[in-house]
Amino acid sequence: VGIDGLTLTGGNATGSGFFLGGGAILTREDLTVSNSTISGNTAGSGSSTRGGGIYSRYGTTTVSNSTVSGNTAGKHGGGIYILLGTTTVSNSTISGNTASSKGGGMYNYSGTTTVSNSTISGNTASSKGGGMYNRYSTTTVSNSTISGNTASSRGGGGIYSNRGTTTVSNSIVAGNTLT
């Protein structure tokens, strides 16, 4: 699936179930989002909803020259939720997203994620990983800024890594808070 030069806003995924989510995009295919804005979308209010903006399972997800902002997830991944896939975010902004549990900006589960030349800022998670939550994932962040994100006192205002490997280089991780 390819999306180029579009704005996706006002989507609302409702209902219940483990695989529910993707306020703007829900895919099991490879996904490329470029030169686009994904904002103001909601992945329901249920405790199983994931990926306020994007929910991608099993495929390769590429987000470039895009903005993912102001999205909300009832559980994990306010901006982006990735399950068992390979993800690349480049020259993009992930900001102002909210998750009722983990991963305000991004939630990566059991995959490989690369973030480069991007900003992850102003995201909020009620539990862990205000900017990014990584579980069983290999994550690399380079030449990027992770700042102004918030999580509860359980940890990871900027980045929370749980049983995975996270490498950060030539980047700014600052001004993230725990409440």
Side-chain angles (χ1 to χ4, degrees):
V1 176
I3 295 171
D4 189 0
L6 294 177
T7 296
L8 302 177
T9 188
N12 186 13
T14 60
S16 63
F18 183 75
F19 295 114
L20 178 69
I25 300 168
L26 169 62
T27 183
R28 292 184 191 180
E29 308 290 331
D30 291 345
L31 172 67
T32 300
V33 177
S34 54
N35 307 304
S36 294
T37 299
I38 297 172
S39 66
N41 301 287
T42 302
S45 58
S47 63
S48 296
T49 55
R50 295 159 167 82
I54 299 170
Y55 183 166
S56 179
R57 299 187 287 163
Y58 314 124
T60 297
T61 301
T62 303
V63 177
S64 64
N65 302 306
S66 294
T67 299
V68 178
S69 66
N71 301 290
T72 302
K75 190 165 187 179
H76 302 317
I80 301 172
Y81 181 90
I82 304 296
L83 175 64
L84 302 168
T86 300
T87 306
T88 302
V89 176
S90 62
N91 303 305
S92 294
T93 299
I94 300 171
S95 66
N97 300 289
T98 302
S100 293
S101 187
K102 300 170 186 162
M106 292 181 71
Y107 186 110
N108 309 302
Y109 186 91
S110 197
T112 301
T113 300
T114 301
V115 176
S116 63
N117 302 306
S118 294
T119 299
I120 299 175
S121 66
N123 301 289
T124 302
S126 295
S127 181
K128 303 172 185 173
M132 179 186 297
Y133 182 92
N134 303 305
R135 184 165 187 176
Y136 306 117
S137 296
T138 300
T139 302
T140 303
V141 177
S142 63
N143 303 309
S144 295
T145 299
I146 299 175
S147 67
N149 300 290
T150 303
S152 76
S153 60
R154 295 184 71 194
I159 302 171
Y160 189 99
S161 197
N162 180 0
R163 298 184 183 127
T165 303
T166 301
T167 304
V168 179
S169 63
N170 299 316
S171 296
I172 297 168
V173 180
N176 300 291
T177 59
L178 300 177
T179 59

